Amino acid sequence: MKIEPLLKYINKYVSLTHEETDFLVSKVIYRKYLKGQYLVQQGDVCKFSCFVISGCTKTFYMDEEGQEHIMMFSIEDWWTSDMSSYINQTPADFNIQFLENTELIMFPYDVIEDVYQHIPKLERFFRQIIEKAFIASQKRIVRNLSMTAKDRYVYFRDQYPQIEQRIPQYMVASYLGITKEFLSKIKSQLLTED
Amino acid sequence: MKIEPLLKYINKYVSLTHEETDFLVSKVIYRKYLKGQYLVQQGDVCKFSCFVISGCTKTFYMDEEGQEHIMMFSIEDWWTSDMSSYINQTPADFNIQFLENTELIMFPYDVIEDVYQHIPKLERFFRQIIEKAFIASQKRIVRNLSMTAKDRYVYFRDQYPQIEQRIPQYMVASYLGITKEFLSKIKSQLLTED
DNA sequence: TTAAAATGTTAAACTAAGTTAACATAATTT
DNA sequence: AAATTATGTTAACTTAGTTTAACATTTTAA
């Protein structure tokens, strides 16, 4: 069970004792998934909140016309889950699919309260990472409101170069809220104008 | 100091003892602002996270061209702050301005850690409300990615009728990410088509 | 009560982005 | 190596949403 990256990550926020670490390790699940598999499909109840050890996921909403709208990608050291479904144990709005073979540390819903009770520091930890996620989400909304598609692409490319290299371009387009054809046009514009 | 609405709100999530309540009351600030005043201006460091007792605020980003992009409105029983600035004590990206005379309960940055230490239940409480805020933010991103302006307006009107009645239409347009002229067109379309 | 300021409407001309479809290239599978 | 499948490009055409500007209405201030 490769759990070191998670412990290292948690340690950036709070310090766990050996006992606390052992308790946590006993409650979480290490698992590998293959490229193409799903962690959650919309309509399911999401039973896990997951930390990515290695690999890559996309979280997306599929609308009535069958169009995919990508909410986020997760790679090493990021978290993934349908938060709404996980917290409220209601049907998920989103799908989470693996874009590569992926290793996860999974926090089952039915142990998370137990973990908070035994290790209040982790309640603090999760408060802090959710604050960060919320801040990032708010900033994304502003970018979508105030920037053109071209500027949003340039921002994405500069901010997440490791992600852009790992995923097909049509998924970047979906994440940016534009069509693949239009992203193609933007990229050729950027090439000629500089 | 009108703090009852806050205590009632907190009580929906966790139960505070009398001592805990007194401690909390001693740490927060009750204050009134007038319509037009600012709680935060972009570039400031946001010193307070606030619960709205009465009144209304808008949170917006002003871009280089001087265009306002409204992130959110807050009314009674909602929270408002520039979370990024408050958490990290860095310059704010957003402005928060009062659209009506407004009463707030303010949590100063320099007491919040003290509050968490004395009342761990409030760390739990804030984890839970931030989870909710994050979920709402994610859902807004999806709506912006997957719905037309007309559908976003109809959703807003149905979801927040109390807000639509209190604020000028051009601010609704800004929140939806469209111009006031286009919102006007959408509304006249909706009137004729039904 | 009138003037001024703020908000809302309409319409024509324009632009950013979407649609369709044909073709090109790269990656997998056989 | 050939054949499929997945991904990416280009271009003509359409559409959703913006810009500009003139005017209408409502609210606030004098």
Side-chain angles (χ1 to χ4, degrees):
Chain A
M1 171 147 155
K2 284 188 209 159
I3 201 173
E4 269 311 315
L6 172 62
L7 299 176
K8 203 169 160 186
Y9 180 92
I10 291 174
N11 201 248
K12 285 191 274 180
Y13 294 85
V14 295
S15 296
L16 299 185
T17 64
H18 281 295
E19 291 71 27
E20 287 169 339
T21 302
D22 290 347
F23 181 83
L24 176 63
V25 170
S26 78
K27 293 295 180 184
V28 300
I29 297 166
Y30 168 84
R31 182 165 170 190
K32 290 183 190 184
Y33 282 91
L34 296 176
K35 179 174 175 172
Q37 289 187 298
Y38 285 81
L39 177 62
V40 194
Q41 298 187 62
Q42 62 191 79
D44 290 354
V45 172
C46 180
K47 295 291 180 192
F48 303 98
S49 182
C50 302
F51 180 82
V52 180
I53 299 290
S54 73
C56 183
T57 77
K58 68 171 172 182
T59 301
F60 64 101
Y61 167 70
M62 183 153 292
D63 68 22
E64 272 91 52
E65 284 90 49
Q67 262 220 286
E68 244 183 65
H69 302 278
I70 296 181
M71 291 296 306
M72 64 177 295
F73 303 105
S74 297
I75 58 171
E76 293 75 27
D77 270 26
W78 292 37
W79 293 83
T80 191
S81 84
D82 183 312
M83 188 65 83
S84 176
S85 174
Y86 182 71
I87 298 292
N88 306 310
Q89 291 291 290
T90 51
D93 295 320
F94 303 133
N95 307 275
I96 302 177
Q97 188 178 21
F98 299 99
L99 300 179
E100 302 173 0
N101 295 345
T102 298
E103 297 173 289
L104 298 175
I105 302 295
M106 307 174 79
F107 287 69
Y109 178 73
D110 56 19
V111 308
I112 192 73
E113 279 304 322
D114 210 19
V115 168
Y116 289 149
Q117 295 306 316
H118 279 72
I119 321 175
K121 266 178 264 180
L122 285 184
E123 186 128 37
R124 179 180 184 77
F125 166 74
F126 279 109
R127 175 181 61 77
Q128 291 177 322
I129 64 168
I130 289 161
E131 279 170 358
K132 280 183 61 174
F134 175 67
I135 289 165
S137 182
Q138 292 284 97
K139 290 188 177 175
R140 177 144 175 237
I141 290 176
V142 173
R143 289 197 301 277
N144 287 346
L145 290 178
S146 66
M147 293 166 76
T148 62
K150 185 191 271 183
D151 291 344
R152 293 198 311 272
Y153 169 64
V154 169
Y155 178 89
F156 175 81
R157 193 188 56 178
D158 293 350
Q159 206 70 10
Y160 308 109
Q162 17 31 313
I163 295 183
E164 197 191 4
Q165 280 156 18
R166 286 164 79 163
I167 60 176
Q169 189 170 308
Y170 71 87
M171 291 189 192
V172 175
S174 172
Y175 174 86
L176 295 172
I178 59 178
T179 59
K180 58 189 168 57
E181 292 85 355
F182 191 52
L183 179 53
S184 188
K185 197 179 205 170
I186 285 169
K187 289 183 81 168
S188 77
Q189 276 174 20
L190 286 169
L191 283 175
T192 56
E193 80 191 20
D194 306 319
Chain B
M1 170 147 153
K2 284 189 210 160
I3 202 174
E4 268 312 315
L6 172 62
L7 298 177
K8 203 170 159 186
Y9 180 92
I10 291 175
N11 201 248
K12 285 192 275 182
Y13 293 86
V14 295
S15 299
L16 298 186
T17 65
H18 282 296
E19 291 71 28
E20 287 169 339
T21 303
D22 290 346
F23 182 83
L24 175 63
V25 170
S26 77
K27 293 296 181 186
V28 299
I29 297 166
Y30 168 84
R31 182 166 170 189
K32 289 182 187 183
Y33 282 91
L34 297 176
K35 179 174 173 170
Q37 290 188 298
Y38 284 82
L39 177 62
V40 193
Q41 296 187 64
Q42 63 192 77
D44 291 352
V45 172
C46 180
K47 294 291 179 191
F48 303 97
S49 182
C50 303
F51 180 82
V52 179
I53 299 291
S54 73
C56 183
T57 77
K58 68 170 172 183
T59 301
F60 65 101
Y61 167 70
M62 182 154 292
D63 67 22
E64 271 92 51
E65 285 90 49
Q67 262 220 285
E68 244 184 63
H69 302 279
I70 297 182
M71 290 297 305
M72 64 177 295
F73 303 103
S74 297
I75 58 171
E76 292 76 27
D77 271 27
W78 292 37
W79 293 83
T80 190
S81 84
D82 183 312
M83 187 64 83
S84 175
S85 174
Y86 181 71
I87 298 292
N88 305 310
Q89 290 291 289
T90 50
D93 295 320
F94 303 134
N95 306 275
I96 302 177
Q97 188 178 20
F98 299 99
L99 300 180
E100 303 173 0
N101 295 344
T102 298
E103 298 172 289
L104 297 175
I105 302 294
M106 308 173 77
F107 287 69
Y109 179 72
D110 55 19
V111 308
I112 193 72
E113 279 304 323
D114 211 18
V115 168
Y116 289 149
Q117 295 306 315
H118 278 72
I119 321 176
K121 266 178 263 182
L122 285 184
E123 186 128 37
R124 180 180 183 80
F125 166 74
F126 279 109
R127 174 181 61 78
Q128 291 178 322
I129 64 168
I130 289 162
E131 280 171 357
K132 280 183 63 173
F134 175 67
I135 289 165
S137 182
Q138 293 283 97
K139 290 188 177 176
R140 177 141 176 242
I141 290 176
V142 173
R143 289 197 303 276
N144 287 345
L145 289 178
S146 66
M147 292 165 78
T148 64
K150 184 191 271 183
D151 291 343
R152 292 197 313 271
Y153 168 64
V154 169
Y155 179 88
F156 175 81
R157 194 188 56 178
D158 295 349
Q159 206 71 9
Y160 308 108
Q162 22 22 325
I163 295 183
E164 196 191 4
Q165 281 156 18
R166 287 164 78 163
I167 60 177
Q169 189 170 308
Y170 70 87
M171 292 189 192
V172 176
S174 172
Y175 175 86
L176 295 172
I178 58 177
T179 59
K180 58 189 167 57
E181 292 84 356
F182 191 51
L183 179 53
S184 189
K185 195 180 204 168
I186 285 170
K187 289 182 81 168
S188 77
Q189 277 175 20
L190 287 169
L191 283 175
T192 57
E193 81 190 19
D194 304 319

